[in-house]
Amino acid sequence: VQTGIIGGTGAEGRGLAARLAAAGVSVLVGSREMARAQEAVRLLRESNSALPLEPATNADVIAGSEVIFLAVPFSGAGEILEAHGPGFRPGTLVVDVTVPLTFRGGAPAAIDVAEGSAAEFVRARLPDTVRVAASLKTIPASILGAPATPLDCDEFVCGDSAEARAAAIELLERIPTLRLVDAGGLDAARTIERMTALAIAINRRYKVRASRFRVVGL
Ligand SMILES: NC(=O)c1ccc[n+]([C@@H]2O[C@H](COP(=O)([O-])OP(=O)(O)OC[C@H]3O[C@@H](n4cnc5c(N)ncnc54)[C@H](OP(=O)(O)O)[C@@H]3O)[C@@H](O)[C@H]2O)c1
């Protein structure tokens, strides 16, 4: 499956690119500027030049990927979707990674989203023919971007259909040491996005960088 990351040059996008490519998944690393995508791919390939990564513009990612991760700051998501909305091909799966948070003095504060969550905001701005799921929202970039370190955690997947969730899970479970948990409809993102804020607050309190979640009893 050909994947691509809008905002693939960022901390979270690069980490995801590293994990997917290490699992043998082809990734287009997207940027608003081709030169930044090329630099990100150069850095990612330093450890292994054979990783299946290619630099791309965000427009190339949208035109050329079957699964597209949206990994830009939430504040930029609306503009990207407005600019490229009609370019998303029918049947594409968009996986929203954005978290509507802003930082005040390093502390996270939730951004109010009229749709209820970033995932629902994204759903509302894409054609009906595009499937939407959300995941990776509680996986910190600091550990995602260290592919030799086991993730050893669970991550939630929610989506606008069981089929969208299954497709996202099938792809993401290729990343070793990560267990995916089906959290149901996109409205579950309202809770999941708050859990990210909780994890960041825990990081600050305990002076750690990568607290994350594990569901027991499953
Ligand atoms: N960092 C984490 O630990 C973490 C964990 C879970 C989820 N997330 C979520 O993942 C997303 C990305 O996080 P990040 O830390 O990687 O963010 P980031 O580094 O600030 O941004 C990611 C990339 O988005 C692009 N970008 C920046 N502003 C933009 C705008 N206004 N419009 C379009 N593109 C823009 C940039 O790429 P170009 O300049 O190359 O286009 C940038 O490299 C966020 O929504 C965040 O909430 C982050």
Side-chain angles (χ1 to χ4, degrees):
V1 52
Q2 178 64 57
T3 69
I5 306 174
I6 298 175
T9 56
E12 186 78 359
R14 272 184 287 124
L16 175 59
R19 295 277 177 175
L20 287 174
V25 177
S26 281
V27 186
L28 294 174
V29 177
S31 171
R32 290 168 295 180
E33 290 290 338
M34 189 60 169
R36 278 203 290 276
Q38 286 165 338
E39 177 61 8
V41 168
R42 189 186 69 73
L43 290 171
L44 285 163
R45 284 219 184 107
E46 271 180 352
S47 58
N48 175 359
S49 59
L51 288 175
L53 297 162
E54 292 296 333
T57 62
N58 289 332
D60 295 336
V61 166
I62 292 163
S65 309
E66 298 158 78
V67 180
I68 300 171
F69 293 91
L70 181 64
V72 299
F74 176 72
S75 57
E79 197 182 310
I80 287 264
L81 296 173
E82 198 173 308
H84 296 282
F88 285 84
R89 293 176 304 155
T92 304
L93 174 65
V94 172
V95 181
D96 171 45
V97 183
T98 69
V99 184
L101 287 179
T102 181
F103 290 89
R104 295 197 192 107
I111 298 172
D112 277 333
V113 183
E115 289 79 1
S117 65
E120 292 161 286
F121 173 98
V122 169
R123 170 65 284 173
R125 283 161 181 77
L126 283 168
D128 288 347
T129 53
V130 170
R131 302 170 294 161
V132 176
S135 193
L136 300 166
K137 291 183 187 249
T138 74
I139 306 285
S142 59
I143 192 165
L144 204 55
T149 306
L151 293 168
D152 278 344
C153 66
D154 289 347
E155 173 55 11
F156 306 102
V157 176
C158 60
D160 61 3
S161 65
E163 191 268 327
R165 297 194 292 275
I169 289 172
E170 190 184 335
L171 173 63
L172 290 171
E173 69 188 6
R174 294 176 67 165
I175 300 176
T177 73
L178 179 65
R179 184 177 70 163
L180 286 310
V181 176
D182 184 340
L186 276 183
D187 57 338
R190 299 175 187 197
T191 306
I192 296 164
E193 292 165 10
R194 297 294 169 130
M195 290 174 73
T196 304
L198 176 66
I200 293 168
I202 290 170
N203 284 345
R204 284 166 59 84
R205 190 156 299 109
Y206 283 79
K207 303 196 188 325
V208 297
R209 295 182 68 206
S211 66
R212 52 204 187 277
F213 297 98
R214 171 76 81 196
V215 178
V216 299
L218 271 185

